[in-house]
Amino acid sequence: SNNKILVELDESSGVATMKFKSPPVNSLSLDFLTEFCISLEKLENNRACRGVIFTSAIPKIFSSGLDITEMCGKSTEHYAEFWRAVQEMWLRLYGCNMVTIAAVNGSSPAGGCLIALSCDYRIMVDNPKFNIGLNEAQLGIVAPFWFKDTFVNVVGQRIAERSLQLGALHPAPEALKLGLVDELVPEEKLQEKAAAVMAQWLALPDHARQITKSMMRKTVLDRLISHREEDIQHFISFTSKESIQKSLRMYMEMLRKKKS
Ligand code: CO8
């Protein structure tokens, strides 16, 4: 399975692009997450690569977040494997030594938002129809502590507290005001802007920047690393509850109905 993410490396600039292309909505399935980790690790091990831009090949959607079908009616073994893959994606991305920029060219709820939050810099298309946020509460589920930590590190305690409790999805202009994204650009300028910001970050010596990044993120990374198995067990018991299964099924039903 290596066709859900298009990876391109420009050897002259040292900048790679990882473009999500998993129709219809770039949901983070087990296959997607596995491919994400392998692709990122390959780039990390490639000395020619110093920065990665994350974007979507699907119009209007960056990523719809975790694949809800992976959390519905599956075995505990499956939940464990899936959750380990979600953790792995975050640990790799949040702890990534390379410069990471999210070029958010569509809606980005929940797990999609987490990917953006885990980057060093976020640029979003200036379109009020594109939403971003950790909307877990709206699904009747709870964002894990490390989603919350990542969010707090970007927007601060107060904004995170309000936004998380409400399960808010913020239209791009509001996301900018909250500091959830760093800047907005017209869609046709997104790639150019991401490349310009990347060049600015890459102008610094890698070593000093990497140590600084690690200093800023280590506490939050270590919190998951030291509680990883507990976090998996927690996910399994939470997800296995009949009330949670019911909430997830109702939410999927709501998505289906909204169409017709
Ligand atoms: N997982 C699985 N399938 C999905 C998902 C998803 N996250 N999102 C959409 N789909 C499916 C839809 O059901 C639909 O399927 P079908 O064609 O069979 O009816 C298809 O994708 C297309 O979806 P839409 O028709 O809704 O497409 P739109 O272009 O109208 O809208 C959106 C795209 C905005 C992305 C919309 O689909 C949406 O809002 N999706 C839900 C996003 C969401 O709420 N994600 C949260 C996932 S939970 C998460 O990431 C963190 C969980 C943390 C775990 C907590 C511990 C338990």
Side-chain angles (χ1 to χ4, degrees):
S1 66
N2 58 16
N3 46 6
K4 295 180 189 308
I5 303 173
L6 311 172
V7 184
E8 254 172 53
L9 173 60
D10 176 8
E11 302 254 356
S12 64
S13 64
V15 179
T17 303
M18 276 174 61
K19 207 180 247 192
F20 309 148
K21 193 181 181 184
S22 183
V25 291
N26 285 333
S27 71
L28 308 176
S29 62
L30 182 55
D31 285 349
F32 184 102
L33 293 164
T34 305
E35 191 177 325
F36 184 98
C37 288
I38 291 170
S39 302
L40 195 59
E41 187 180 14
K42 274 190 194 154
L43 293 173
E44 189 101 59
N45 292 334
N46 184 344
R47 287 182 161 274
C49 185
R50 297 174 61 216
V52 190
I53 296 167
F54 299 89
T55 195
S56 167
I58 295 185
K60 303 193 191 95
I61 298 165
F62 181 70
S63 163
S64 71
L66 302 190
D67 189 328
I68 297 166
T69 63
E70 302 275 18
M71 303 187 270
C72 277
K74 298 282 201 295
S75 66
T76 39
E77 291 74 22
H78 184 86
Y79 294 146
E81 188 184 5
F82 177 62
W83 199 248
R84 191 179 297 283
V86 179
Q87 292 177 331
E88 190 66 29
M89 174 204 73
W90 178 77
L91 289 169
R92 280 197 181 283
L93 182 58
Y94 203 60
C96 183
N97 266 328
M98 298 178 287
V99 175
T100 52
I101 294 178
V104 183
N105 51 349
S107 283
S108 196
C113 178
L114 182 73
I115 291 180
L117 288 170
S118 302
C119 290
D120 294 309
Y121 198 85
R122 284 155 290 285
I123 308 167
M124 191 165 180
V125 168
D126 190 2
N127 182 337
K129 287 187 183 154
F130 297 167
N131 295 318
I132 185 166
L134 295 179
N135 62 319
E136 280 80 356
Q138 280 196 44
L139 283 73
I141 59 179
V142 181
F145 70 88
W146 41 283
F147 282 49
K148 177 269 294 174
D149 288 341
T150 310
F151 197 25
V152 167
N153 279 356
V154 172
V155 298
Q157 180 74 20
R158 174 59 192 145
I159 289 169
E161 183 178 324
R162 187 177 55 192
S163 182
L164 275 174
Q165 287 196 58
L166 293 172
L169 285 172
H170 306 285
E174 191 178 299
L176 178 68
K177 280 197 197 115
L178 298 177
L180 176 44
V181 297
D182 296 297
E183 59 184 304
L184 301 184
V185 295
E187 181 126 39
E188 67 277 9
K189 290 272 193 279
L190 183 63
Q191 293 319 313
E192 182 188 324
K193 187 71 206 189
V197 172
M198 182 60 87
Q200 186 196 349
W201 284 65
L202 290 181
L204 282 97
D206 280 329
H207 192 61
R209 185 192 49 71
Q210 286 164 356
I211 293 172
T212 307
K213 178 172 181 175
S214 162
M215 174 177 74
M216 296 303 294
R217 298 187 173 197
K218 190 174 186 309
T219 313
V220 158
L221 283 163
D222 284 349
R223 203 172 294 161
L224 178 60
I225 292 167
S226 59
H227 293 98
R228 206 166 167 181
E229 298 308 317
E230 258 171 88
D231 185 57
I232 292 171
Q233 288 313 315
H234 177 263
F235 175 76
I236 293 171
S237 61
F238 187 81
T239 308
S240 304
K241 284 198 178 91
E242 193 38 54
S243 60
I244 297 304
Q245 286 293 309
K246 194 173 163 198
S247 295
L248 292 173
R249 281 196 304 268
M250 280 171 58
Y251 189 75
M252 287 299 281
E253 193 56 32
M254 182 275 290
L255 286 179
R256 216 164 285 138
K257 279 196 182 129
K258 170 201 74 175
K259 253 192 218 169
S260 47

